[in-house]
């Protein structure tokens, strides 16, 4: 296809005038896409989306990994419609809160209590606050190899985009390396009796835990009286319904959930040991923790969406479908790259249910310029995505279309490699890291 983005560009300009950054999530920003090729969407169905210019795309990334069953999944939509007519938000808990909590705790091994919220940042920050209260310690140890935990100061102070966060706050977060147990031991030795919690993703798209690593982290936390927190935002309902802790058999003290648990509806959860969670409740004589208290956390629509998702996972195997389609996609694209002689530059890698693509220049260095060129050529051929994160709604036809688009995009990519530059091939400026310290190199006039 030859996509036209005229209406999208007009609306994107209006968004930049009305909304700082032109989007409500930095990863959704127009600076994450080729210039003048950031579609503004109107609807989605399954694995496909349509923009205001009438372009249809096979979508990957799926709502920043929040959609595993596909857009407008019938079971989720019907569940939401069934509760909507009865009202959404009330001054007292509803029966939906009881049922959703029971469904969640039946899904997650080892979790004894749960509290719902609207976004992952809130529940992760609540977990940190709870750990600090339980231990009486102030430091937070995070995995430096994992890109994002929260919008709140305790984490954002560690990234390049940290203007407005006091140095004193930044100093309360320390870091270790994934699959490097010794780096965590060194933190405990350096900060004796000061680390309240260890926060990490048990696995990522590109990194599986080495044998003994998670078990070693668990043992260190047990020995030092430190709270172990798993961020299950991505792994939950994408590795398994019960998350990474179900797959790898290591149970955290607290775990934080969101994204796919609502198939795109806004719902998140903090879950964990009863003795910790009760510090935010009424069954404790200790000083109470302000755990989570949100107006919209228990609204009925999102809880109904979660319950429908949980039901689909009980009756079907969306993870197996995602893994099968993901393997098909990776094998097809990587074979195209080999056939065209660019396998050293472009590759689909990662867990089949959560794949990304790597883009390198002629010297084998990771390249934003060549990444942008690849995105540009995929968009021109009806494929939208900053990654190849798949859903159970992607059909083999969707995958085949994507492989065909990649083959044509790689022909252009190869020409740019042979020319030694994207000049003459790439329209506009390359994409830039979402959490960079300055608007440049994609500053707008």
């Amino acid at each position: 296809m030859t996509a036209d983005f005229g209406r999208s560009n007009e609306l994107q300009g209006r968004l930049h005038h009305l909304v700082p950054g032109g989007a409500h999530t930095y990863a959704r920003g127009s600076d994450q896409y080729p210039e003048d090729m950031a579609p503004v969407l109107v609807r989605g169905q399954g694995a496909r989306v349509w923009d205001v210019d009438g372009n249809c795309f096979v979508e990957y990334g799926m709502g920043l990994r929040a959609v595993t069953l596909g857009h407008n999944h019938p079971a989720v939509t019907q569940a939401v419609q069934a509760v909507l007519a009865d009202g959404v938000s009330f001054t007292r808990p509803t029966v939906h809160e009881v049922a959703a909590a029971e469904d969640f705790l039946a899904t997650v091994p080892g979790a004894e209590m749960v509290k719902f919220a609207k976004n992952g940042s809130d529940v992760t920050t609540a977990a940190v606050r709870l750990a600090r209260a339980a231990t009486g310690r102030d430091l937070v140890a995070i995995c430096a190899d994992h890109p994002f935990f929260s919008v709140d100061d305790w984490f954002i102070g560690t990234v390049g985009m940290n203007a407005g966060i006091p140095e004193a706050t930044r100093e309360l977060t320390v870091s270790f390396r994934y699959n490097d147990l010794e780096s965590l031991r060194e933190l405990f030795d350096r900060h004796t009796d000061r680390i309240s919690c260890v926060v990490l993703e048990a696995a990522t798209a590109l990194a599986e835990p080495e044998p003994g690593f998670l078990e070693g982290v668990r043992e260190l936390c047990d020995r030092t009286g430190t709270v172990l927190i798993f961020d299950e935002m991505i792994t939950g309902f994408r590795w398994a319904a019960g998350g990474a802790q179900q797959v790898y058999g290591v149970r955290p003290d607290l775990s934080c959930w969101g994204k796919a648990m609502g198939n795109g509806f806004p719902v998140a959860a903090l879950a964990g040991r009863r003795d910790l969670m009760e510090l935010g409740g009424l069954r404790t004589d200790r000083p109470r923790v302000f755990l989570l208290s949100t107006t919209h956390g228990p609204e009925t629509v999102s809880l109904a969406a979660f319950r429908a998702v949980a039901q689909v996972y009980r009756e079907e195997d969306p993870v197996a479908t995602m893994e099968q389609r993901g393997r098909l996609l990776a094998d097809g694209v990587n074979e195209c790259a080999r056939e065209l002689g660019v396998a050293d530059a472009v590759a689909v890698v990662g867990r089949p249910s959560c794949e990304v693509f790597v883009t390198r220049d002629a010297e084998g260095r990771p390249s934003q310029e060549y990444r942008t060129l690849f995105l540009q050529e995929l968009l021109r051929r009806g494929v939208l995505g900053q990654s190849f994160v798949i859903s159970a709604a992607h059909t083999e036809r969707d995958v085949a279309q994507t492989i065909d688009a990649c083959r044509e995009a790689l022909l252009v990519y190869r020409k740019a490699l042979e020319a030694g530059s994207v000049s003459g091939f790439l329209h506009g400026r390359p994409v830039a890291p979402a959490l960079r310290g300055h608007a440049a190199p994609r500053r707008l006039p």
Side-chain angles (χ1 to χ4, degrees), residues 27 31 81 98 117 125 169 175 177 193 199 201 217 251 257 280 291 311 325 329 378 395 424:
D31 59 343
Q81 290 171 337
V98 179
T125 292
T169 299
S175 62
R177 306 312 297 252
D193 295 330
V199 185
E201 296 178 84
V217 173
R251 292 182 179 176
W257 303 71
L291 190 56
Q311 182 71 18
R325 301 287 195 271
L329 176 61
L378 289 181
T395 64

Side-chain angles (χ1 to χ4, degrees), residues 64-88:
L64 306 184
R65 299 182 177 89
V67 177
T68 58
L69 303 181
H71 301 297
N72 193 28
H73 188 277
V76 179
T77 300
Q78 289 164 16
V80 166
Q81 290 171 337
V83 302
L84 189 57
D86 291 329
V88 175

Side-chain angles (χ1 to χ4, degrees), residues 144-184:
D145 300 300
H146 298 162
F148 196 84
F149 291 113
S150 175
V151 301
D152 294 308
D153 288 3
W154 66 270
F155 173 71
I156 290 297
T158 70
V159 306
M161 194 176 178
N162 59 20
I165 300 174
E167 183 64 31
T169 299
R170 301 180 202 176
E171 292 174 352
L172 293 176
T173 302
V174 295
S175 62
F176 62 97
R177 306 312 297 252
Y178 188 69
N179 276 332
D180 185 350
L181 204 54
E182 187 56 35
S183 70
L184 183 58

